[in-house]
Structure formats: C-alpha cells, structure tokens
Amino acid sequence: MFKRILQLLYPEVCFACSNTLLDSEGLLCTRCRLELPRPGLFLPRPNWLSLKFDGWLEYQDVHCFFLFSKGGRVQHLMHQIKYKGAQDLGRFLGIWCGAELNKYNWPDEYELILPIPMHQQRIQERGYNQAICIAEGIALSTHLPILSGGIERIKNSQTLIHQNRQERFHVLEDVYQVSDSSSFLGKHVLIVDDTLTTGATMLTLGQKIKAAGARQVSFLALAALQ
Ligand SMILES: [Zn+2]
C-alpha cells in the first residue's frame, strides 16, 4: 500500500526513455528492452568495432552490448550509470550482457574480468566506479572472477574529448600502474568498461597488462559509439 502511494507520488520511470514504468516493469520499460540497439557479440572480424583496435595490440575479442548515439536512449542510460548513481542499473545490464555472453561457445575462455580502474580522487567524488558495477553483473551471469587490486590508475588525466586518437594514446601511456601481476599472470583477461569511443583507454590498459604477463586480452564495453 505504502509502495503504491509512493509510486503515485513519484512514479518510477524507465532509465532509458523516462516513460513511466508499469508495475510489472523494473529499471527499463519493455519497449526499451526490445528496441535498444544491440549489435550482437562475437561479430565476424574485421568490423567497425575491431577496426578501432586492429593494428594497435594483439587481442582476441572486442564486444559492445549497446550502440551509442549522441542524444539517444543509450546515451541517457549510460549517463544514469556514470553520473547519477544508478549502480543497480549497471549491475542489471551487466547481468543481461553476461547472459548473452553465455549463449556463445567462447573460442578461448576468458578467465578473469578486469573493470577499468578509476583514479582514487574520482572514486571519492563519484562514490563508485561504474565499470565495477557492470563487471559485478557480468560475473554473476558468467561466474568469472573479478580482478581487483594490483592495477591502479595513478593519473587523473585531463579530459580527452578534444584530442585525436594518437594524442589520447600518448596522454594515457603512463596512466595505469601494475603493482602486482600475480593474479593475472598467464591468464586471458576480459577488460570491461562502460562506454567506448576511440578505445584508447581500453587499449592502453590492455597493453599494460599484456606487458605485465597476461596471456591474452579481450575487451567488452557496455556501449560503444559507432
Ligand atoms: Zn524505456
């Protein structure tokens, strides 16, 4: 009863389209669940996403769960996860994404999930690292362990929006530091982030952990800009 009154006063809305949710719906409306653009996983290569990575690093797979367009519903969704404290939404989408991953026979098993580390200062400002929320959801579905500790973001670099890819790569080179590689030595690591634009952040981290002894790396972004 109390919940019903609360819902009348503050109707729950869909995180993607902001329409009021039905009682039977949670976090996302049925229409968004069906319509949000999902390109599929394990796409044949080369494809528009792999072209962002090919030639920079030897890796196995790169995936994105949603396609991101400026001003679209996926952008709104990602904004809620990154800036509006919607940690449960991040976990929910991670669970969904992990369940989709489980539908495929992985050509080379992923062994560990590495959420992109965030600088300590930014974690304090935001209160959480959204990549960890997404990774937690993926871990729930896939039963893969999450790699925590041993890799830190040591530079809270300036915004990269106006830099080209080469410049971004250069700026990011010494942003991450590996302090302990024992947990990922010889392992195939799936690097997880919320949003992928140029891929420079993921590539930088991939290079770092391969240089530190990871056997193989793959990449998964919840959303990517096509
Ligand atoms: Zn919706």
Side-chain angles (χ1 to χ4, degrees):
M1 179 67 182
F2 183 61
K3 191 185 170 202
R4 295 281 299 171
I5 294 169
L6 268 181
Q7 280 176 343
L8 285 173
L9 292 171
Y10 306 101
E12 286 188 67
V13 297
C14 170
F15 273 111
C17 69
S18 303
N19 285 334
T20 306
L21 291 174
L22 302 174
D23 278 353
S24 57
E25 296 172 332
L27 304 174
L28 285 179
C29 72
T30 306
R31 191 172 164 194
C32 283
R33 286 179 195 228
L34 293 171
E35 288 182 357
L36 289 180
R38 286 189 285 132
L41 305 171
F42 295 100
L43 299 176
R45 271 169 51 189
N47 58 62
W48 62 273
L49 188 57
S50 74
L51 288 175
K52 294 177 190 261
F53 286 68
D54 292 346
W56 291 88
L57 170 75
E58 199 206 317
Y59 68 98
Q60 182 168 291
D61 305 313
V62 55
H63 311 284
C64 75
F65 194 53
F66 293 118
L67 290 179
F68 180 101
S69 58
K70 297 239 162 79
R73 280 184 281 179
V74 174
Q75 184 181 31
H76 190 248
L77 193 63
M78 299 314 294
H79 190 80
Q80 309 295 313
I81 295 172
K82 272 180 101 150
Y83 303 113
K84 300 290 181 184
Q87 298 177 63
D88 284 345
L89 176 66
R91 283 186 204 99
F92 163 75
L93 295 175
I95 290 170
W96 185 5
C97 181
E100 290 298 315
L101 270 177
N102 286 342
K103 292 179 181 171
Y104 295 84
N105 283 320
W106 304 344
D108 181 1
E109 296 272 331
Y110 308 138
E111 294 168 286
L112 277 173
I113 303 172
L114 171 59
I116 294 251
M118 192 184 271
H119 192 271
Q120 204 54 42
Q121 189 187 328
R122 193 164 291 181
I123 292 179
Q124 277 167 9
E125 288 162 6
R126 193 170 296 175
Y128 62 98
N129 174 355
Q130 68 277 359
I132 293 179
C133 302
I134 296 162
E136 285 170 351
I138 296 172
L140 277 172
S141 289
T142 60
H143 305 295
L144 290 171
I146 296 177
L147 180 57
S148 62
I151 305 163
E152 291 84 34
R153 181 157 185 150
I154 53 170
K155 277 193 186 171
N156 199 3
S157 57
Q158 64 271 48
T159 178
L160 302 173
I161 289 168
H162 300 297
Q163 289 163 325
N164 69 30
R165 186 189 173 85
Q166 195 76 44
E167 288 165 343
R168 282 186 181 210
F169 225 23
H170 181 69
V171 169
L172 287 166
E173 255 173 5
D174 49 0
V175 156
Y176 299 103
Q177 178 179 278
V178 175
S179 56
D180 177 11
S181 60
S182 58
S183 50
F184 63 82
L185 265 184
K187 299 269 173 70
H188 184 171
V189 181
L190 179 66
I191 295 177
V192 168
D193 202 0
D194 49 271
T195 316
L196 187 159
T197 48
T198 64
T201 311
M202 285 183 135
L203 275 168
T204 307
L205 187 59
Q207 284 183 335
K208 202 84 188 175
I209 63 165
K210 272 200 113 175
R215 174 174 59 83
Q216 184 57 288
V217 287
S218 289
F219 304 96
L220 192 157
L222 194 56
L225 186 68
Q226 191 165 11

